Amino acid sequence: MTHPYIRLRRGFVVVTAVGALLVPAAGGAMALPSSAAAVATATEPPSPSSSGDGVVELTPAVQQQVDEAVQRVMKQANVPGATVGIWTPDRGRYVKSFGVRDKSTGQEMAPDLFMRIGSETKTFTVTAVLQLVDQGKIGLDDTIDQYIDGVPNGDRITLRQLAGMRSGLFNYSADEDFFKALTTDPQQPFTPQQLLDYSFKHPVLFPPGEKFYYCNTNLILLGLVVEKMSGSHLNDYIHEHILDPAGLDDTLFPTGNEFPTPHSQGYTNQTATGKVEDSADWNPSWGWAAGAMISTLEDLRIWARTVATGVLPDGDRMISPATQKQRLTTPPTPIPGAGYGLGLFNVQGWIGHNGSLPGYESLTVYLPSARATLVVVLNTDINYKNQEPSTLFGDAITTIISPDHVFDLPAEPAAQ
């Protein structure tokens, strides 16, 4: 039986130094998300034909297909509530909520709810790092020991390797003692140094740059670099230099377990007993620069294009074209069709990130060829047959709306 390590969005792939999957779901092992076949029915409607950019028009018939796909995945994966947003510049808009935000009261899910976004936080932290690169305060090929002491292999690991998940450091959220501490008291605060201590007691997994390994420790270190070189707390820096310029008025970096209303409750089995609990009031400080942030569907719509292009809604640059080009260089991962750059992935042309932490999952991606955006937010992180629900939704929806660019991640055997 595998140990139920806590999940803070491993990302679309989580591969250890020897290629086995890491961070299994509570009560069982975790495999990578399946292809669309896993959520298909025996009587799928005919697929609409795609345009030259690979995206179909969101006609009433297509929207009905999306409705049916979302409801099918919800039933199959036992998802209490979901909200889906699809936006294209000339082929239609789709925003709809399904299910309930609160199982105890039956309140319905709604598009305006605040949601915890887990590892989508990484896109904001890495953006802060890249802004400091543009300002000449740091360099992507600087080693982490120039800024933070005590990092194993710190004289060899670069900021680029940290942002690209190729450092070789151990993932603190996969540590047994961390899991016990968090699940014993989910409302306790954690400091960045405490999180690093859980990681650094483990040996490095491989030489820096040798392979891809999704690791939350990397982002804790990058968050500390931002604080040291900007002279601001990370949450303050992100609010002032990223959220405010982008007009993300309903996105925040909490310092404790604060959660604006209206918000959805969150349902997780990543608990001390393995039983499903409501995690809405858990303290996300344990995710910090890797996963603590909160947002809404509409703000994530804005952010999807901003982070994928480096351009703010008003046309100004969030980061320079040269730095954005480096960010979007997405070397392959062990998963066919999926690359990971600097805090962003590229899966079959869809650029962005997904997020997961106890009780919540999200997916925010942008397809540049069609200027199309897809956002999915959920109030559960409970896996279905070792597959993450957010990726099941992404796969099922893109099979309909962008058949030439399906968010398709093949399953692999679970870790034993």
Side-chain angles (χ1 to χ4, degrees):
M1 179 177 178
T2 55
H3 183 85
Y5 298 120
I6 204 75
R7 298 201 311 267
L8 167 54
R9 188 51 201 159
R10 286 79 51 212
F12 54 100
V13 292
V14 190
V15 184
T16 68
V18 295
L21 296 174
L22 185 65
V23 197
M30 186 199 80
L32 288 173
S34 72
S35 69
V39 296
T41 65
T43 56
E44 287 269 11
S47 296
S49 60
S50 62
S51 63
D53 57 22
V55 173
V56 304
E57 183 177 355
L58 299 179
T59 64
V62 171
Q63 294 189 40
Q64 182 179 351
Q65 289 186 47
V66 175
D67 286 353
E68 293 170 353
V70 171
Q71 291 167 337
R72 183 172 65 245
V73 176
M74 287 184 69
K75 181 178 180 180
Q76 188 175 44
N78 195 27
V79 174
T83 297
V84 175
I86 304 166
W87 299 266
T88 65
D90 54 10
R91 293 189 176 86
R93 172 182 179 272
Y94 174 104
V95 174
K96 188 172 287 191
S97 292
F98 302 81
V100 298
R101 74 177 79 169
D102 188 332
K103 295 197 293 186
S104 65
T105 66
Q107 279 184 293
E108 294 182 349
M109 199 72 169
D112 65 343
L113 300 181
F114 289 91
M115 304 289 286
R116 299 196 186 278
I117 62 171
S119 280
E120 291 198 39
T121 302
K122 293 176 172 68
T123 64
F124 294 92
T125 300
V126 173
T127 296
V129 169
L130 298 179
Q131 287 181 339
L132 295 176
V133 169
D134 281 341
Q135 295 166 23
K137 294 182 177 179
I138 62 176
L140 282 172
D141 295 313
D142 294 348
T143 53
I144 188 61
D145 69 333
Q146 296 176 236
Y147 306 99
I148 308 296
D149 294 330
V151 180
N153 270 354
D155 61 340
R156 300 174 59 196
I157 297 170
T158 66
L159 305 188
R160 187 188 304 274
Q161 289 165 341
L162 292 169
M165 300 295 177
R166 292 169 172 85
S167 72
L169 295 172
F170 184 86
N171 187 3
Y172 70 85
S173 56
D175 177 79
E176 293 191 28
D177 293 333
F178 167 77
F179 176 82
K180 292 175 183 176
L182 177 61
T183 56
T184 298
D185 181 10
Q187 296 186 16
Q188 69 175 299
F190 287 85
T191 67
Q193 188 57 54
Q194 285 177 305
L195 302 175
L196 294 179
D197 289 344
Y198 285 116
S199 170
F200 294 170
K201 68 181 184 180
H202 296 270
V204 296
L205 301 176
F206 52 84
E210 184 175 280
K211 56 189 70 175
F212 176 89
Y213 165 76
Y214 193 91
C215 175
N216 297 311
T217 307
N218 297 335
L219 272 293
I220 304 304
L221 289 169
L222 291 177
L224 291 174
V225 171
V226 172
E227 291 199 329
K228 182 172 184 177
M229 301 310 295
S230 70
S232 300
H233 292 299
L234 180 62
N235 60 308
D236 291 334
Y237 181 94
I238 286 177
H239 274 275
E240 180 178 353
H241 296 275
I242 299 175
L243 303 183
D244 288 348
L248 304 181
D249 298 332
D250 290 325
T251 302
L252 67 150
F253 196 129
T255 57
N257 69 345
E258 62 266 29
F259 202 168
T261 56
H263 65 251
S264 175
Q265 305 308 112
Y267 301 97
T268 186
N269 59 359
Q270 295 193 83
T271 60
T273 63
K275 295 180 180 179
V276 176
E277 296 180 9
D278 183 349
S279 60
D281 64 350
W282 286 22
N283 189 331
S285 63
W286 66 272
W288 195 52
M293 290 180 68
I294 293 167
S295 191
T296 62
L297 186 83
E298 177 61 19
D299 272 16
L300 293 176
R301 177 192 70 82
I302 297 169
W303 183 238
R305 184 181 185 279
T306 301
V307 73
T309 63
V311 179
L312 290 162
D314 65 4
D316 287 344
R317 299 292 312 191
M318 174 69 77
I319 59 177
S320 70
T323 301
Q324 182 71 8
K325 182 178 180 180
Q326 293 186 71
R327 175 173 219 169
L328 295 181
T329 300
T330 52
T333 68
I335 305 306
Y340 198 92
L342 302 180
L344 286 178
F345 64 74
N346 183 325
V347 178
Q348 305 298 341
W350 287 98
I351 296 170
H353 217 288
N354 42 7
S356 177
L357 79 170
Y360 301 89
E361 288 204 347
S362 58
L363 174 65
T364 298
V365 287
Y366 181 76
L367 185 62
S369 63
R371 294 181 294 158
T373 299
L374 169 64
V375 178
V376 179
V377 292
L378 311 173
N379 59 2
T380 185
D381 69 315
I382 299 173
N383 283 358
Y384 171 72
K385 294 185 177 180
N386 299 321
Q387 299 154 9
E388 296 226 335
S390 63
T391 306
L392 291 177
F393 282 97
D395 195 329
I397 293 166
T398 58
T399 296
I400 297 167
I401 67 167
S402 57
D404 296 342
H405 302 278
V406 176
F407 195 89
D408 178 10
L409 299 172
E412 287 191 1
Q416 300 298 315

